Amino acid sequence: GAGVSQTPSNKVTEKGKYVELRCDPISGHTALYWYRQSLGQGPEFLIYFQGTGAADDSGLPNDRFFAVRPEGSVSTLKIQRTERGDSAVYLCASSLQGTYNSPLHFGNGTRLTVT
Amino acid sequence: TQLLEQSPQFLSIQEGENLTVYCNSSSVFSSLQWYRQEPGEGPVLLVTVVTGGEVKKLKRLTFQFGDARKDSSLHITAAQPGDTGLYLCAGAESGSQGNLIFGKGTKLSVKP
Protein backbone atom coordinates (compact mmCIF):
# COMPACT_ATOMS: atom_id res chain seq x y z
CA GLY A 1 0.00 0.00 0.00
CA ALA A 2 0.92 3.66 -0.12
CA GLY A 3 3.43 4.92 2.36
CA VAL A 4 3.61 8.24 4.18
CA SER A 5 3.40 11.11 1.72
CA GLN A 6 4.82 14.58 2.38
CA THR A 7 4.31 17.68 0.28
CA PRO A 8 6.02 19.71 -0.94
CA SER A 9 9.27 17.79 -1.21
CA ASN A 10 11.17 21.08 -1.28
CA LYS A 11 10.21 24.54 -0.08
CA VAL A 12 12.27 27.70 -0.37
CA THR A 13 10.95 30.74 1.46
CA GLU A 14 12.18 34.13 2.56
CA LYS A 15 12.91 34.97 6.16
CA GLY A 16 9.76 36.17 7.89
CA LYS A 17 7.30 34.32 5.67
CA TYR A 18 4.72 31.74 6.72
CA VAL A 19 4.91 28.12 5.51
CA GLU A 20 2.73 25.03 5.72
CA LEU A 21 4.03 21.49 5.35
CA ARG A 22 1.60 18.63 4.72
CA CYS A 23 1.71 14.98 5.75
CA ASP A 24 -0.56 12.16 4.55
CA PRO A 25 -0.04 9.17 6.88
CA ILE A 26 -0.61 5.51 6.09
CA SER A 27 -4.34 4.79 6.10
CA GLY A 28 -5.49 3.43 9.45
CA HIS A 29 -2.48 4.65 11.42
CA THR A 30 -3.72 6.45 14.51
CA ALA A 31 -0.39 7.93 15.58
CA LEU A 32 1.40 10.68 13.64
CA TYR A 33 4.73 12.29 14.43
CA TRP A 34 6.68 15.28 13.17
CA TYR A 35 10.46 15.31 13.39
CA ARG A 36 13.08 17.80 12.20
CA GLN A 37 16.46 16.69 10.86
CA SER A 38 19.31 19.14 10.44
CA LEU A 39 22.38 18.36 8.37
CA GLY A 40 24.57 15.75 10.05
CA GLN A 41 22.08 15.13 12.84
CA GLY A 42 19.51 12.51 13.69
CA PRO A 43 15.81 13.36 13.62
CA GLU A 44 14.64 15.56 16.49
CA PHE A 45 11.13 15.04 17.87
CA LEU A 46 8.68 17.92 17.47
CA ILE A 47 5.11 16.75 18.11
CA TYR A 48 3.01 13.60 18.34
CA PHE A 49 -0.71 13.14 17.56
CA GLN A 50 -2.92 10.31 18.70
CA GLY A 51 -6.03 10.71 16.57
CA THR A 52 -6.95 14.39 16.31
CA GLY A 53 -5.29 15.58 19.47
CA ALA A 54 -1.68 16.54 20.11
CA ALA A 55 -0.62 14.04 22.79
CA ASP A 56 2.86 15.51 23.18
CA ASP A 57 4.06 18.83 21.74
CA SER A 58 7.08 19.18 24.00
CA GLY A 59 9.49 19.18 21.07
CA LEU A 60 8.13 22.28 19.35
CA PRO A 61 10.96 24.83 19.66
CA ASN A 62 8.79 27.93 20.19
CA ASP A 63 5.35 29.39 19.53
CA ARG A 64 6.11 30.05 15.87
CA PHE A 65 5.57 26.33 15.29
CA PHE A 66 2.10 24.82 15.30
CA ALA A 67 0.61 21.59 13.94
CA VAL A 68 -2.92 20.33 13.41
CA ARG A 69 -4.62 17.07 12.50
CA PRO A 70 -8.31 18.03 12.38
CA GLU A 71 -9.77 14.77 11.11
CA GLY A 72 -7.26 12.34 12.53
CA SER A 73 -5.57 11.69 9.21
CA VAL A 74 -3.75 14.43 7.29
CA SER A 75 -1.57 16.74 9.36
CA THR A 76 -0.18 20.19 8.63
CA LEU A 77 2.89 21.68 10.30
CA LYS A 78 2.75 25.47 10.28
CA ILE A 79 5.70 27.78 10.81
CA GLN A 80 5.18 31.52 11.25
CA ARG A 81 7.77 34.25 10.74
CA THR A 82 10.36 31.78 9.46
CA GLU A 83 13.99 32.21 10.41
CA ARG A 84 17.14 30.93 8.70
CA GLY A 85 17.66 28.54 11.60
CA ASP A 86 14.41 26.80 10.69
CA SER A 87 16.09 25.40 7.57
CA ALA A 88 16.06 21.60 7.84
CA VAL A 89 14.33 18.50 6.56
CA TYR A 90 10.95 18.08 8.23
CA LEU A 91 10.02 14.42 8.51
CA CYS A 92 6.58 13.01 9.18
CA ALA A 93 6.01 9.46 10.43
CA SER A 94 2.97 7.40 11.30
CA SER A 95 2.49 4.22 13.29
CA LEU A 96 -0.40 1.86 13.78
CA GLN A 97 -0.73 2.19 17.54
CA GLY A 98 1.69 4.76 18.91
CA THR A 99 3.14 2.47 21.56
CA TYR A 100 6.78 2.18 22.63
CA ASN A 101 7.44 -0.80 20.35
CA SER A 102 5.32 0.26 17.41
CA PRO A 103 7.53 0.95 14.38
CA LEU A 104 7.50 4.36 12.75
CA HIS A 105 6.96 4.64 9.00
CA PHE A 106 8.61 7.79 7.70
CA GLY A 107 7.89 9.89 4.66
CA ASN A 108 10.73 11.29 2.56
CA GLY A 109 10.48 14.67 4.21
CA THR A 110 10.10 18.27 3.16
CA ARG A 111 13.39 20.12 2.75
CA LEU A 112 12.77 23.67 3.97
CA THR A 113 15.25 26.38 3.07
CA VAL A 114 14.80 29.85 4.55
CA THR A 115 16.79 32.52 2.71
CA THR B 1 16.23 14.56 28.01
CA GLN B 2 17.92 11.24 27.45
CA LEU B 3 20.74 11.19 24.92
CA LEU B 4 21.86 8.43 22.61
CA GLU B 5 25.52 8.49 21.61
CA GLN B 6 26.42 6.67 18.42
CA SER B 7 29.92 5.66 17.40
CA PRO B 8 31.71 5.83 15.15
CA GLN B 9 30.22 8.87 13.43
CA PHE B 10 31.78 7.92 10.09
CA LEU B 11 32.99 4.55 8.81
CA SER B 12 34.55 3.78 5.44
CA ILE B 13 35.41 0.15 4.73
CA GLN B 14 36.07 -2.24 1.85
CA GLU B 15 33.54 -4.74 0.60
CA GLY B 16 33.76 -7.99 2.56
CA GLU B 17 34.88 -6.45 5.86
CA ASN B 18 32.97 -6.75 9.12
CA LEU B 19 31.94 -3.77 11.23
CA THR B 20 30.17 -2.88 14.45
CA VAL B 21 28.25 0.29 15.26
CA TYR B 22 27.51 1.25 18.86
CA CYS B 23 24.66 3.12 20.50
CA ASN B 24 25.05 4.11 24.15
CA SER B 25 23.09 5.94 26.79
CA SER B 26 23.25 6.47 30.54
CA SER B 27 19.49 5.96 30.73
CA VAL B 28 17.20 2.97 30.33
CA PHE B 29 14.96 2.61 27.30
CA SER B 30 11.76 0.57 26.96
CA SER B 31 12.77 -0.36 23.44
CA LEU B 32 15.39 0.50 20.91
CA GLN B 33 14.99 0.64 17.17
CA TRP B 34 17.56 0.72 14.38
CA TYR B 35 16.84 2.58 11.15
CA ARG B 36 18.72 2.98 7.89
CA GLN B 37 18.43 6.21 5.93
CA GLU B 38 19.55 6.97 2.39
CA PRO B 39 20.02 10.48 0.99
CA GLY B 40 16.74 12.22 0.19
CA GLU B 41 14.66 9.59 1.92
CA GLY B 42 13.17 9.03 5.35
CA PRO B 43 14.59 6.47 7.80
CA VAL B 44 13.47 2.87 7.26
CA LEU B 45 13.09 0.54 10.23
CA LEU B 46 15.48 -2.41 10.39
CA VAL B 47 14.65 -3.91 13.79
CA THR B 48 13.09 -3.29 17.20
CA VAL B 49 14.62 -4.79 20.36
CA VAL B 50 12.69 -4.78 23.60
CA THR B 51 14.17 -7.28 26.04
CA GLY B 52 17.52 -6.77 27.79
CA GLY B 53 20.13 -9.11 26.27
CA GLU B 54 18.01 -9.69 23.20
CA VAL B 55 19.80 -10.58 19.95
CA LYS B 56 18.11 -10.34 16.58
CA LYS B 57 19.52 -11.30 13.20
CA LEU B 58 18.49 -9.94 9.84
CA LYS B 59 20.53 -11.70 7.13
CA ARG B 60 24.08 -10.32 7.59
CA LEU B 61 23.01 -7.84 10.30
CA THR B 62 23.06 -8.77 13.99
CA PHE B 63 21.47 -6.47 16.57
CA GLN B 64 21.97 -6.70 20.32
CA PHE B 65 20.25 -4.89 23.18
CA GLY B 66 22.34 -4.55 26.31
CA ASP B 67 21.31 -6.42 29.45
CA ALA B 68 20.52 -3.15 31.22
CA ARG B 69 18.64 -1.75 28.18
CA LYS B 70 20.97 1.24 28.02
CA ASP B 71 22.99 0.34 24.94
CA SER B 72 22.82 -1.53 21.67
CA SER B 73 25.07 -2.64 18.85
CA LEU B 74 24.70 -3.40 15.18
CA HIS B 75 27.16 -5.81 13.59
CA ILE B 76 27.38 -6.28 9.83
CA THR B 77 29.17 -9.30 8.43
CA ALA B 78 30.83 -9.20 5.01
CA ALA B 79 29.65 -5.69 4.20
CA GLN B 80 28.47 -4.94 0.67
CA PRO B 81 28.23 -1.62 -1.23
CA GLY B 82 24.45 -1.85 -0.86
CA ASP B 83 24.87 -1.49 2.90
CA THR B 84 26.06 2.09 2.41
CA GLY B 85 23.87 4.57 4.26
CA LEU B 86 23.19 6.36 7.54
CA TYR B 87 22.42 4.01 10.43
CA LEU B 88 20.36 5.54 13.22
CA CYS B 89 19.49 4.12 16.59
CA ALA B 90 16.40 5.43 18.36
CA GLY B 91 15.16 4.78 21.86
CA ALA B 92 11.71 4.94 23.39
CA GLU B 93 11.72 6.35 26.93
CA SER B 94 9.92 4.52 29.68
CA GLY B 95 6.23 5.40 29.53
CA SER B 96 6.57 7.09 26.16
CA GLN B 97 3.92 6.82 23.53
CA GLY B 98 6.23 6.14 20.65
CA ASN B 99 8.05 9.45 20.33
CA LEU B 100 11.63 8.34 19.83
CA ILE B 101 14.97 9.87 20.74
CA PHE B 102 17.43 9.47 17.90
CA GLY B 103 21.20 9.29 17.90
CA LYS B 104 23.16 11.36 15.38
CA GLY B 105 23.79 8.31 13.25
CA THR B 106 26.73 6.45 11.77
CA LYS B 107 27.46 7.20 8.14
CA LEU B 108 28.71 3.98 6.54
CA SER B 109 30.43 3.82 3.18
CA VAL B 110 31.29 0.40 1.73
CA LYS B 111 33.64 0.55 -1.23
CA PRO B 112 33.72 -2.18 -3.89
mmCIF file of all heavy atoms in Angstrom, chain B residues 72-90:
data_model
loop_
_atom_site.group_PDB
_atom_site.id
_atom_site.type_symbol
_atom_site.label_atom_id
_atom_site.label_comp_id
_atom_site.label_asym_id
_atom_site.label_seq_id
_atom_site.Cartn_x
_atom_site.Cartn_y
_atom_site.Cartn_z
ATOM 1 N N SER B 72 23.111 -0.569 22.734
ATOM 2 C CA SER B 72 22.824 -1.529 21.670
ATOM 3 C C SER B 72 23.962 -1.503 20.662
ATOM 4 O O SER B 72 24.740 -0.551 20.604
ATOM 5 C CB SER B 72 21.509 -1.170 20.980
ATOM 6 O OG SER B 72 21.189 -2.106 19.964
ATOM 7 N N SER B 73 24.061 -2.585 19.905
ATOM 8 C CA SER B 73 25.069 -2.637 18.848
ATOM 9 C C SER B 73 24.479 -3.259 17.608
ATOM 10 O O SER B 73 23.518 -4.040 17.656
ATOM 11 C CB SER B 73 26.292 -3.435 19.310
ATOM 12 O OG SER B 73 25.942 -4.785 19.544
ATOM 13 N N LEU B 74 25.062 -2.862 16.487
ATOM 14 C CA LEU B 74 24.704 -3.404 15.179
ATOM 15 C C LEU B 74 25.982 -3.930 14.546
ATOM 16 O O LEU B 74 26.934 -3.173 14.374
ATOM 17 C CB LEU B 74 24.075 -2.310 14.309
ATOM 18 C CG LEU B 74 24.103 -2.507 12.781
ATOM 19 C CD1 LEU B 74 23.365 -3.768 12.375
ATOM 20 C CD2 LEU B 74 23.536 -1.286 12.081
ATOM 21 N N HIS B 75 25.999 -5.199 14.215
ATOM 22 C CA HIS B 75 27.159 -5.814 13.594
ATOM 23 C C HIS B 75 26.786 -6.248 12.182
ATOM 24 O O HIS B 75 25.754 -6.901 11.998
ATOM 25 C CB HIS B 75 27.629 -7.024 14.404
ATOM 26 C CG HIS B 75 28.859 -7.683 13.852
ATOM 27 N ND1 HIS B 75 30.131 -7.180 14.068
ATOM 28 C CD2 HIS B 75 28.997 -8.784 13.083
ATOM 29 C CE1 HIS B 75 31.004 -7.954 13.454
ATOM 30 N NE2 HIS B 75 30.348 -8.941 12.858
ATOM 31 N N ILE B 76 27.599 -5.868 11.207
ATOM 32 C CA ILE B 76 27.380 -6.276 9.830
ATOM 33 C C ILE B 76 28.528 -7.181 9.413
ATOM 34 O O ILE B 76 29.704 -6.807 9.521
ATOM 35 C CB ILE B 76 27.273 -5.073 8.879
ATOM 36 C CG1 ILE B 76 26.124 -4.157 9.315
ATOM 37 C CG2 ILE B 76 27.062 -5.546 7.443
ATOM 38 C CD1 ILE B 76 25.961 -2.907 8.446
ATOM 39 N N THR B 77 28.184 -8.336 8.912
ATOM 40 C CA THR B 77 29.171 -9.300 8.435
ATOM 41 C C THR B 77 29.309 -9.194 6.923
ATOM 42 O O THR B 77 28.310 -9.091 6.218
ATOM 43 C CB THR B 77 28.740 -10.725 8.816
ATOM 44 O OG1 THR B 77 28.568 -10.816 10.234
ATOM 45 C CG2 THR B 77 29.765 -11.759 8.372
ATOM 46 N N ALA B 78 30.554 -9.220 6.467
ATOM 47 C CA ALA B 78 30.825 -9.200 5.012
ATOM 48 C C ALA B 78 30.046 -8.074 4.326
ATOM 49 O O ALA B 78 29.183 -8.320 3.469
ATOM 50 C CB ALA B 78 30.479 -10.553 4.401
ATOM 51 N N ALA B 79 30.369 -6.852 4.706
ATOM 52 C CA ALA B 79 29.647 -5.686 4.198
ATOM 53 C C ALA B 79 29.686 -5.621 2.668
ATOM 54 O O ALA B 79 30.676 -6.016 2.031
ATOM 55 C CB ALA B 79 30.229 -4.415 4.799
ATOM 56 N N GLN B 80 28.606 -5.109 2.120
ATOM 57 C CA GLN B 80 28.469 -4.936 0.675
ATOM 58 C C GLN B 80 28.187 -3.473 0.348
ATOM 59 O O GLN B 80 27.673 -2.747 1.204
ATOM 60 C CB GLN B 80 27.339 -5.826 0.157
ATOM 61 C CG GLN B 80 27.581 -7.313 0.398
ATOM 62 C CD GLN B 80 26.424 -8.184 -0.043
ATOM 63 O OE1 GLN B 80 25.421 -7.687 -0.555
ATOM 64 N NE2 GLN B 80 26.553 -9.482 0.159
ATOM 65 N N PRO B 81 28.502 -3.023 -0.867
ATOM 66 C CA PRO B 81 28.234 -1.616 -1.227
ATOM 67 C C PRO B 81 26.782 -1.214 -0.986
ATOM 68 O O PRO B 81 26.507 -0.068 -0.642
ATOM 69 C CB PRO B 81 28.602 -1.571 -2.713
ATOM 70 C CG PRO B 81 29.668 -2.621 -2.852
ATOM 71 C CD PRO B 81 29.247 -3.724 -1.918
ATOM 72 N N GLY B 82 25.860 -2.144 -1.121
ATOM 73 C CA GLY B 82 24.450 -1.852 -0.865
ATOM 74 C C GLY B 82 24.137 -1.552 0.586
ATOM 75 O O GLY B 82 23.037 -1.085 0.894
ATOM 76 N N ASP B 83 25.076 -1.806 1.483
ATOM 77 C CA ASP B 83 24.873 -1.493 2.903
ATOM 78 C C ASP B 83 25.174 -0.021 3.194
ATOM 79 O O ASP B 83 24.907 0.454 4.310
ATOM 80 C CB ASP B 83 25.784 -2.361 3.784
ATOM 81 C CG ASP B 83 25.461 -3.848 3.711
ATOM 82 O OD1 ASP B 83 24.267 -4.177 3.524
ATOM 83 O OD2 ASP B 83 26.396 -4.671 3.807
ATOM 84 N N THR B 84 25.726 0.678 2.232
ATOM 85 C CA THR B 84 26.061 2.094 2.412
ATOM 86 C C THR B 84 24.826 2.885 2.808
ATOM 87 O O THR B 84 23.759 2.713 2.237
ATOM 88 C CB THR B 84 26.657 2.662 1.120
ATOM 89 O OG1 THR B 84 27.920 2.026 0.874
ATOM 90 C CG2 THR B 84 26.866 4.164 1.210
ATOM 91 N N GLY B 85 24.981 3.737 3.817
ATOM 92 C CA GLY B 85 23.869 4.567 4.264
ATOM 93 C C GLY B 85 24.114 5.097 5.653
ATOM 94 O O GLY B 85 25.179 4.885 6.236
ATOM 95 N N LEU B 86 23.126 5.808 6.184
ATOM 96 C CA LEU B 86 23.193 6.359 7.539
ATOM 97 C C LEU B 86 22.409 5.436 8.456
ATOM 98 O O LEU B 86 21.224 5.183 8.228
ATOM 99 C CB LEU B 86 22.587 7.761 7.563
ATOM 100 C CG LEU B 86 22.544 8.464 8.923
ATOM 101 C CD1 LEU B 86 23.963 8.799 9.385
ATOM 102 C CD2 LEU B 86 21.712 9.739 8.830
ATOM 103 N N TYR B 87 23.054 4.914 9.476
ATOM 104 C CA TYR B 87 22.418 4.006 10.430
ATOM 105 C C TYR B 87 22.107 4.778 11.705
ATOM 106 O O TYR B 87 22.999 5.354 12.328
ATOM 107 C CB TYR B 87 23.308 2.804 10.706
ATOM 108 C CG TYR B 87 23.382 1.871 9.522
ATOM 109 C CD1 TYR B 87 24.263 2.131 8.478
ATOM 110 C CD2 TYR B 87 22.546 0.773 9.420
ATOM 111 C CE1 TYR B 87 24.309 1.305 7.363
ATOM 112 C CE2 TYR B 87 22.585 -0.069 8.317
ATOM 113 C CZ TYR B 87 23.469 0.213 7.287
ATOM 114 O OH TYR B 87 23.505 -0.606 6.180
ATOM 115 N N LEU B 88 20.836 4.781 12.071
ATOM 116 C CA LEU B 88 20.355 5.541 13.220
ATOM 117 C C LEU B 88 19.789 4.604 14.275
ATOM 118 O O LEU B 88 19.020 3.702 13.959
ATOM 119 C CB LEU B 88 19.239 6.500 12.788
ATOM 120 C CG LEU B 88 19.612 7.627 11.839
ATOM 121 C CD1 LEU B 88 18.376 8.120 11.093
ATOM 122 C CD2 LEU B 88 20.253 8.770 12.595
ATOM 123 N N CYS B 89 20.179 4.818 15.524
ATOM 124 C CA CYS B 89 19.495 4.117 16.593
ATOM 125 C C CYS B 89 18.517 5.099 17.241
ATOM 126 O O CYS B 89 18.747 6.308 17.236
ATOM 127 C CB CYS B 89 20.454 3.550 17.622
ATOM 128 S SG CYS B 89 21.389 4.755 18.578
ATOM 129 N N ALA B 90 17.431 4.588 17.761
ATOM 130 C CA ALA B 90 16.398 5.429 18.355
ATOM 131 C C ALA B 90 15.784 4.697 19.532
ATOM 132 O O ALA B 90 15.402 3.531 19.417
ATOM 133 C CB ALA B 90 15.326 5.756 17.320
#
